Amino acid sequence: QVQLVESGGGLVQAGDSLRLSCVASGLTTSNIAMGWFRQAPGKEREFVGTINWVGRSSYASAMKGRAAISRDVDKNTMYLQVGNLKPEDTAVYYCAARNTHYESSDPDAYPYWGQGTRVTVSS
């Protein structure tokens, strides 16, 4: 059974940094692609970034320069580090995984999802 569990969200101030974690079970992170998405109140889920099976990451244009995705294959965990947080980064952040090597920015390409972790950025 595949399970993704996010953690690390909370209330932060604008300009702060935050690191989110996603622990995977039932999947081997070194062999799959994973992604981060977010959903703000009243908005659709949007792509944040992704990492493929060899550890190459890519990002939404709004996150370039501020976000970094990494993973620890020994811990089967993916991370999202976001710096210079802005109030518009307020959202529930979701971890997702797909059983292929290659990344995608399309949320429909990911069959496995975590429950989300809420990030609130105050101004």
Side-chain angles (χ1 to χ4, degrees), residues 12-93:
V12 297
Q13 303 239 335
D16 284 351
S17 298
L18 199 64
R19 189 176 82 157
L20 307 180
S21 301
C22 171
V23 179
S25 56
L27 291 169
T28 302
T29 56
S30 60
N31 203 35
I32 60 170
M34 299 182 73
W36 286 98
F37 294 80
R38 66 185 184 183
Q39 188 165 18
K43 295 188 177 180
E44 292 189 355
R45 193 166 298 190
E46 67 173 359
F47 171 68
V48 173
T50 183
I51 187 166
N52 70 6
W53 73 296
V54 294
R56 184 181 64 215
S57 56
S58 58
Y59 304 93
S61 55
M63 304 304 293
K64 282 181 182 176
R66 297 196 298 129
I69 295 175
S70 60
R71 64 182 184 178
D72 184 330
V73 296
D74 291 334
K75 295 181 179 179
N76 231 27
T77 300
M78 175 179 67
Y79 303 97
L80 171 66
Q81 178 89 28
V82 183
N84 191 24
L85 283 158
K86 307 172 183 179
E88 51 264 42
D89 292 320
T90 294
V92 177
Y93 284 71

